[in-house]
Amino acid sequence: MAIQLERIPSTEALYERAVTIIKEVKAQGAKTFGLATGGTMEPLYAKLCDTTIDFSEAVSFNLDEYVGLGATHDQSYNYYMHHHLFKQKPFKQSHLPQGLAHDTQQEAARYEALLNEHILDFQLLGIGVNGHIGFNEPGTSFDSVTHVVNLTPSTREINARYFASLEDVPHKAFTMGVQSILRANCILLIAIGESKRNALEALINNEYIEDVPATALTKHPNVIVLTDLV
Ligand code: GLP
């Protein structure tokens, strides 16, 4: 099996390991980084900011963005990335889908075309409780490229913790597709907390089902999974 699973019960040690992996990938010449958001990534970005790692010659692409939220909205992923990483560790260029784009289909196509001009040397991934990666919800084709998704009620409810109310959570998002993600040379997925156990089990049991989007990774040759679940 291509997935390298590392179970690290101490989250402190787990994040240290993630930083080490990113440093190693960078030392090996990685210049294009796919980045993720979510609560899982906040301690990782905080740790990266405490290192001397320099991304000023690197390019980043984020996985996803809410439709309708601009860069100044504090729940946009654009804002999240500036707040947690870019203001301290700027990249040469950082790309995210534009949440306020008027023509969402055109914006998805623009982002996919931009991605196609690069090879992602590295892709960081969290995982949703329902197994989503990026915002690729259960049932998304493994052949999908960047597209607009209708967020599931459960994803909106889980993400509502960051918004004033459930009504404020956007119904749609842009996301890199499953195929866009799989084009990365190396993937690091971090799954922390009991709520991720079912999704993680499907992945490490080598299932390959579109109902659990993360299981697409089982066909990728270079995936590291870090989890605190034992
Ligand atoms: C969010 C993001 C994903 C993230 C996942 C898990 O909705 N779109 O990229 O990996 O859900 O988030 P968290 O780390 O907060 O559990």
CSV table of all heavy atoms in Angstrom, one decimal, residues 115-156:
chain,number,residue,atom,x,y,z
A,115,LEU,N,-3.6,26.0,-12.1
A,115,LEU,CA,-3.0,24.8,-11.5
A,115,LEU,C,-2.3,24.0,-12.5
A,115,LEU,O,-1.3,23.4,-12.2
A,115,LEU,CB,-4.2,24.0,-10.9
A,115,LEU,CG,-4.5,24.1,-9.4
A,115,LEU,CD1,-5.7,23.2,-9.1
A,115,LEU,CD2,-3.3,23.7,-8.5
A,116,ASN,N,-2.9,23.9,-13.7
A,116,ASN,CA,-2.3,23.1,-14.7
A,116,ASN,C,-1.0,23.6,-15.2
A,116,ASN,O,-0.3,22.9,-15.9
A,116,ASN,CB,-3.3,22.9,-15.9
A,116,ASN,CG,-4.2,21.7,-15.6
A,116,ASN,OD1,-3.8,20.6,-15.4
A,116,ASN,ND2,-5.5,22.0,-15.6
A,117,GLU,N,-0.8,24.9,-15.0
A,117,GLU,CA,0.5,25.4,-15.4
A,117,GLU,C,1.6,25.1,-14.4
A,117,GLU,O,2.8,25.4,-14.7
A,117,GLU,CB,0.4,27.0,-15.5
A,117,GLU,CG,-0.5,27.4,-16.6
A,117,GLU,CD,-0.8,28.9,-16.6
A,117,GLU,OE1,-0.1,29.6,-15.8
A,117,GLU,OE2,-1.7,29.4,-17.3
A,118,HIS,N,1.3,24.5,-13.3
A,118,HIS,CA,2.3,24.1,-12.3
A,118,HIS,C,2.2,22.6,-12.0
A,118,HIS,O,1.1,22.0,-12.2
A,118,HIS,CB,2.0,24.9,-11.0
A,118,HIS,CG,2.2,26.4,-11.2
A,118,HIS,ND1,1.2,27.1,-11.8
A,118,HIS,CD2,3.1,27.2,-10.8
A,118,HIS,CE1,1.6,28.4,-11.7
A,118,HIS,NE2,2.8,28.5,-11.2
A,119,ILE,N,3.2,22.1,-11.4
A,119,ILE,CA,3.1,20.8,-10.8
A,119,ILE,C,3.2,21.0,-9.3
A,119,ILE,O,4.1,21.7,-8.8
A,119,ILE,CB,4.3,19.9,-11.2
A,119,ILE,CG1,4.2,19.6,-12.7
A,119,ILE,CG2,4.3,18.6,-10.4
A,119,ILE,CD1,5.4,19.0,-13.3
A,120,LEU,N,2.2,20.5,-8.5
A,120,LEU,CA,2.3,20.7,-7.1
A,120,LEU,C,3.3,19.7,-6.6
A,120,LEU,O,3.1,18.5,-6.7
A,120,LEU,CB,0.9,20.4,-6.5
A,120,LEU,CG,-0.2,21.5,-6.7
A,120,LEU,CD1,-1.5,21.1,-6.0
A,120,LEU,CD2,0.3,22.8,-6.2
A,121,ASP,N,4.4,20.2,-6.0
A,121,ASP,CA,5.4,19.3,-5.4
A,121,ASP,C,4.9,18.7,-4.2
A,121,ASP,O,5.3,17.5,-3.8
A,121,ASP,CB,6.7,20.1,-5.1
A,121,ASP,CG,7.3,20.7,-6.3
A,121,ASP,OD1,7.5,20.0,-7.3
A,121,ASP,OD2,7.5,21.9,-6.3
A,122,PHE,N,4.0,19.4,-3.5
A,122,PHE,CA,3.5,18.9,-2.2
A,122,PHE,C,2.1,19.4,-2.0
A,122,PHE,O,1.7,20.5,-2.4
A,122,PHE,CB,4.4,19.6,-1.1
A,122,PHE,CG,4.0,19.3,0.3
A,122,PHE,CD1,4.3,18.1,0.9
A,122,PHE,CD2,3.2,20.3,1.0
A,122,PHE,CE1,4.0,17.9,2.3
A,122,PHE,CE2,2.9,20.0,2.3
A,122,PHE,CZ,3.2,18.9,2.9
A,123,GLN,N,1.3,18.6,-1.4
A,123,GLN,CA,-0.1,19.0,-1.1
A,123,GLN,C,-0.4,18.6,0.4
A,123,GLN,O,-0.3,17.4,0.8
A,123,GLN,CB,-1.1,18.3,-2.0
A,123,GLN,CG,-2.6,18.6,-1.7
A,123,GLN,CD,-3.0,20.1,-1.9
A,123,GLN,OE1,-2.8,20.5,-3.0
A,123,GLN,NE2,-3.4,20.8,-0.9
A,124,LEU,N,-0.8,19.6,1.1
A,124,LEU,CA,-1.2,19.4,2.5
A,124,LEU,C,-2.8,19.2,2.5
A,124,LEU,O,-3.5,19.9,1.9
A,124,LEU,CB,-0.9,20.7,3.3
A,124,LEU,CG,-1.1,20.7,4.8
A,124,LEU,CD1,-0.3,19.6,5.5
A,124,LEU,CD2,-0.7,22.1,5.3
A,125,LEU,N,-3.2,18.2,3.3
A,125,LEU,CA,-4.6,17.9,3.4
A,125,LEU,C,-5.1,17.7,4.8
A,125,LEU,O,-4.4,17.0,5.6
A,125,LEU,CB,-5.0,16.6,2.6
A,125,LEU,CG,-4.9,16.6,1.1
A,125,LEU,CD1,-5.3,15.2,0.6
A,125,LEU,CD2,-5.9,17.6,0.5
A,126,GLY,N,-6.3,18.2,5.1
A,126,GLY,CA,-7.0,17.8,6.3
A,126,GLY,C,-8.0,16.8,5.8
A,126,GLY,O,-8.0,16.3,4.7
A,127,ILE,N,-8.9,16.4,6.7
A,127,ILE,CA,-10.0,15.5,6.3
A,127,ILE,C,-11.3,15.9,7.0
A,127,ILE,O,-11.2,16.2,8.2
A,127,ILE,CB,-9.6,14.0,6.5
A,127,ILE,CG1,-10.6,13.0,5.9
A,127,ILE,CG2,-9.3,13.8,8.0
A,127,ILE,CD1,-10.1,11.6,5.9
A,128,GLY,N,-12.4,15.9,6.3
A,128,GLY,CA,-13.7,16.2,6.9
A,128,GLY,C,-14.2,15.0,7.7
A,128,GLY,O,-13.7,13.8,7.4
A,129,VAL,N,-15.1,15.2,8.6
A,129,VAL,CA,-15.7,14.1,9.3
A,129,VAL,C,-16.3,13.1,8.3
A,129,VAL,O,-16.3,11.9,8.6
A,129,VAL,CB,-16.8,14.7,10.3
A,129,VAL,CG1,-17.6,13.5,10.9
A,129,VAL,CG2,-16.1,15.5,11.4
A,130,ASN,N,-16.9,13.6,7.2
A,130,ASN,CA,-17.5,12.7,6.2
A,130,ASN,C,-16.5,12.2,5.2
A,130,ASN,O,-16.9,11.6,4.2
A,130,ASN,CB,-18.7,13.4,5.6
A,130,ASN,CG,-18.3,14.6,4.8
A,130,ASN,OD1,-17.1,14.9,4.6
A,130,ASN,ND2,-19.3,15.4,4.3
A,131,GLY,N,-15.2,12.5,5.4
A,131,GLY,CA,-14.2,12.0,4.5
A,131,GLY,C,-13.9,13.0,3.4
A,131,GLY,O,-13.1,12.6,2.5
A,132,HIS,N,-14.4,14.2,3.5
A,132,HIS,CA,-14.1,15.1,2.4
A,132,HIS,C,-12.6,15.6,2.4
A,132,HIS,O,-12.0,15.6,3.5
A,132,HIS,CB,-15.1,16.3,2.3
A,132,HIS,CG,-15.0,17.3,3.3
A,132,HIS,ND1,-16.1,17.9,3.9
A,132,HIS,CD2,-14.0,18.0,3.9
A,132,HIS,CE1,-15.8,18.8,4.8
A,132,HIS,NE2,-14.5,18.9,4.8
A,133,ILE,N,-12.1,15.8,1.2
A,133,ILE,CA,-10.8,16.5,1.1
A,133,ILE,C,-11.0,17.7,0.3
A,133,ILE,O,-11.7,17.7,-0.7
A,133,ILE,CB,-9.7,15.5,0.5
A,133,ILE,CG1,-10.2,14.9,-0.8
A,133,ILE,CG2,-9.2,14.5,1.5
A,133,ILE,CD1,-9.1,14.0,-1.5
A,134,GLY,N,-10.3,18.8,0.7
A,134,GLY,CA,-10.7,20.1,0.2
A,134,GLY,C,-12.2,20.2,0.5
A,134,GLY,O,-12.6,20.0,1.7
A,135,PHE,N,-13.0,20.6,-0.4
A,135,PHE,CA,-14.5,20.6,-0.2
A,135,PHE,C,-15.1,19.5,-1.1
A,135,PHE,O,-16.3,19.7,-1.5
A,135,PHE,CB,-15.1,21.9,-0.4
A,135,PHE,CG,-15.2,22.8,0.9
A,135,PHE,CD1,-14.8,24.1,0.9
A,135,PHE,CD2,-15.8,22.2,2.0
A,135,PHE,CE1,-15.0,24.9,2.0
A,135,PHE,CE2,-15.9,23.0,3.2
A,135,PHE,CZ,-15.5,24.3,3.2
A,136,ASN,N,-14.4,18.5,-1.5
A,136,ASN,CA,-15.0,17.4,-2.3
A,136,ASN,C,-15.8,16.5,-1.4
A,136,ASN,O,-15.3,15.7,-0.6
A,136,ASN,CB,-13.9,16.6,-3.0
A,136,ASN,CG,-13.1,17.4,-4.0
A,136,ASN,OD1,-13.6,17.6,-5.1
A,136,ASN,ND2,-11.9,17.8,-3.7
A,137,GLU,N,-17.1,16.7,-1.5
A,137,GLU,CA,-18.0,16.0,-0.6
A,137,GLU,C,-18.3,14.6,-1.1
A,137,GLU,O,-17.9,14.3,-2.2
A,137,GLU,CB,-19.4,16.8,-0.6
A,137,GLU,CG,-19.2,18.2,0.0
A,137,GLU,CD,-19.2,18.2,1.6
A,137,GLU,OE1,-18.6,17.3,2.2
A,137,GLU,OE2,-19.7,19.2,2.2
A,138,PRO,N,-18.8,13.7,-0.2
A,138,PRO,CA,-19.1,12.4,-0.6
A,138,PRO,C,-19.9,12.3,-1.9
A,138,PRO,O,-20.8,13.0,-2.1
A,138,PRO,CB,-19.9,11.8,0.6
A,138,PRO,CG,-19.4,12.6,1.7
A,138,PRO,CD,-19.1,14.0,1.2
A,139,GLY,N,-19.4,11.4,-2.8
A,139,GLY,CA,-20.1,11.2,-4.1
A,139,GLY,C,-19.4,12.0,-5.2
A,139,GLY,O,-19.7,11.7,-6.4
A,140,THR,N,-18.4,12.8,-4.9
A,140,THR,CA,-17.7,13.6,-5.9
A,140,THR,C,-16.9,12.6,-6.7
A,140,THR,O,-16.2,11.7,-6.2
A,140,THR,CB,-16.7,14.6,-5.3
A,140,THR,OG1,-17.5,15.4,-4.4
A,140,THR,CG2,-16.0,15.4,-6.3
A,141,SER,N,-16.9,12.8,-8.1
A,141,SER,CA,-16.1,11.9,-8.9
A,141,SER,C,-14.7,12.0,-8.7
A,141,SER,O,-14.1,13.1,-8.5
A,141,SER,CB,-16.4,12.3,-10.4
A,141,SER,OG,-15.4,11.7,-11.2
A,142,PHE,N,-14.0,10.9,-8.7
A,142,PHE,CA,-12.5,10.9,-8.5
A,142,PHE,C,-11.9,11.5,-9.7
A,142,PHE,O,-10.7,11.8,-9.7
A,142,PHE,CB,-12.0,9.5,-8.3
A,142,PHE,CG,-12.3,9.0,-6.9
A,142,PHE,CD1,-12.0,7.6,-6.5
A,142,PHE,CD2,-12.8,9.8,-5.9
A,142,PHE,CE1,-12.2,7.1,-5.3
A,142,PHE,CE2,-13.0,9.3,-4.6
A,142,PHE,CZ,-12.7,8.0,-4.3
A,143,ASP,N,-12.6,11.8,-10.8
A,143,ASP,CA,-12.0,12.4,-12.0
A,143,ASP,C,-12.2,13.9,-11.9
A,143,ASP,O,-11.9,14.6,-12.9
A,143,ASP,CB,-12.7,11.9,-13.3
A,143,ASP,CG,-12.4,10.4,-13.5
A,143,ASP,OD1,-11.2,10.0,-13.1
A,143,ASP,OD2,-13.2,9.7,-14.1
A,144,SER,N,-12.8,14.4,-10.9
A,144,SER,CA,-13.2,15.9,-10.8
A,144,SER,C,-12.0,16.8,-10.8
A,144,SER,O,-10.9,16.5,-10.2
A,144,SER,CB,-14.1,16.1,-9.6
A,144,SER,OG,-13.4,15.7,-8.4
A,145,VAL,N,-12.1,17.9,-11.4
A,145,VAL,CA,-11.1,19.0,-11.4
A,145,VAL,C,-11.8,20.2,-10.6
A,145,VAL,O,-12.9,20.0,-10.0
A,145,VAL,CB,-10.6,19.4,-12.8
A,145,VAL,CG1,-9.9,18.3,-13.4
A,145,VAL,CG2,-11.8,19.9,-13.6
A,146,THR,N,-11.1,21.3,-10.5
A,146,THR,CA,-11.7,22.4,-9.7
A,146,THR,C,-13.1,22.7,-10.1
A,146,THR,O,-13.4,22.9,-11.3
A,146,THR,CB,-10.8,23.7,-9.9
A,146,THR,OG1,-9.5,23.4,-9.6
A,146,THR,CG2,-11.3,24.8,-9.0
A,147,HIS,N,-14.0,22.8,-9.1
A,147,HIS,CA,-15.4,23.0,-9.4
A,147,HIS,C,-16.1,23.7,-8.3
A,147,HIS,O,-15.5,23.9,-7.2
A,147,HIS,CB,-16.1,21.7,-9.7
A,147,HIS,CG,-16.0,20.7,-8.6
A,147,HIS,ND1,-14.9,20.0,-8.2
A,147,HIS,CD2,-17.0,20.2,-7.8
A,147,HIS,CE1,-15.1,19.2,-7.2
A,147,HIS,NE2,-16.4,19.3,-6.9
A,148,VAL,N,-17.3,24.0,-8.5
A,148,VAL,CA,-18.2,24.7,-7.4
A,148,VAL,C,-19.0,23.6,-6.8
A,148,VAL,O,-19.6,22.7,-7.5
A,148,VAL,CB,-19.1,25.7,-8.0
A,148,VAL,CG1,-20.0,26.3,-6.9
A,148,VAL,CG2,-18.3,26.8,-8.7
A,149,VAL,N,-19.0,23.5,-5.5
A,149,VAL,CA,-19.8,22.4,-4.8
A,149,VAL,C,-20.9,23.0,-4.0
A,149,VAL,O,-20.8,24.2,-3.5
A,149,VAL,CB,-18.9,21.6,-3.8
A,149,VAL,CG1,-17.8,20.9,-4.6
A,149,VAL,CG2,-18.3,22.4,-2.7
A,150,ASN,N,-21.9,22.3,-3.8
A,150,ASN,CA,-23.0,22.6,-2.8
A,150,ASN,C,-22.5,21.9,-1.5
A,150,ASN,O,-22.4,20.6,-1.5
A,150,ASN,CB,-24.3,22.0,-3.2
A,150,ASN,CG,-24.8,22.8,-4.4
A,150,ASN,OD1,-24.8,24.0,-4.5
A,150,ASN,ND2,-25.3,22.0,-5.4
A,151,LEU,N,-22.3,22.6,-0.5
A,151,LEU,CA,-21.8,22.0,0.8
A,151,LEU,C,-22.9,21.2,1.4
A,151,LEU,O,-24.1,21.6,1.4
A,151,LEU,CB,-21.3,23.1,1.7
A,151,LEU,CG,-20.1,23.9,1.2
A,151,LEU,CD1,-19.8,25.1,2.1
A,151,LEU,CD2,-18.9,23.1,1.0
A,152,THR,N,-22.6,20.1,2.0
A,152,THR,CA,-23.6,19.3,2.6
A,152,THR,C,-24.1,19.9,3.9
A,152,THR,O,-23.3,20.7,4.5
A,152,THR,CB,-23.1,17.8,2.9
A,152,THR,OG1,-22.0,18.0,3.9
A,152,THR,CG2,-22.6,17.1,1.7
A,153,PRO,N,-25.3,19.6,4.3
A,153,PRO,CA,-25.8,20.2,5.6
A,153,PRO,C,-24.8,19.9,6.7
A,153,PRO,O,-24.5,20.7,7.6
A,153,PRO,CB,-27.1,19.5,5.8
A,153,PRO,CG,-27.6,19.2,4.4
A,153,PRO,CD,-26.4,18.9,3.6
A,154,SER,N,-24.2,18.7,6.8
A,154,SER,CA,-23.4,18.3,7.9
A,154,SER,C,-22.1,19.1,7.8
A,154,SER,O,-21.6,19.6,8.9
A,154,SER,CB,-23.1,16.8,7.9
A,154,SER,OG,-22.1,16.5,6.9
A,155,THR,N,-21.5,19.4,6.7
A,155,THR,CA,-20.3,20.2,6.6
A,155,THR,C,-20.6,21.6,7.0
A,155,THR,O,-19.8,22.3,7.8
A,155,THR,CB,-19.7,20.2,5.2
A,155,THR,OG1,-19.3,18.9,4.9
A,155,THR,CG2,-18.6,21.2,5.0
A,156,ARG,N,-21.8,22.2,6.6
A,156,ARG,CA,-22.1,23.5,7.0
A,156,ARG,C,-22.3,23.6,8.5
A,156,ARG,O,-21.9,24.5,9.2
A,156,ARG,CB,-23.4,24.0,6.3
A,156,ARG,CG,-23.2,24.3,4.8
A,156,ARG,CD,-24.4,24.9,4.1
A,156,ARG,NE,-24.7,26.2,4.6
A,156,ARG,CZ,-25.8,26.5,5.4
A,156,ARG,NH1,-26.6,25.6,5.7
A,156,ARG,NH2,-25.9,27.7,5.8
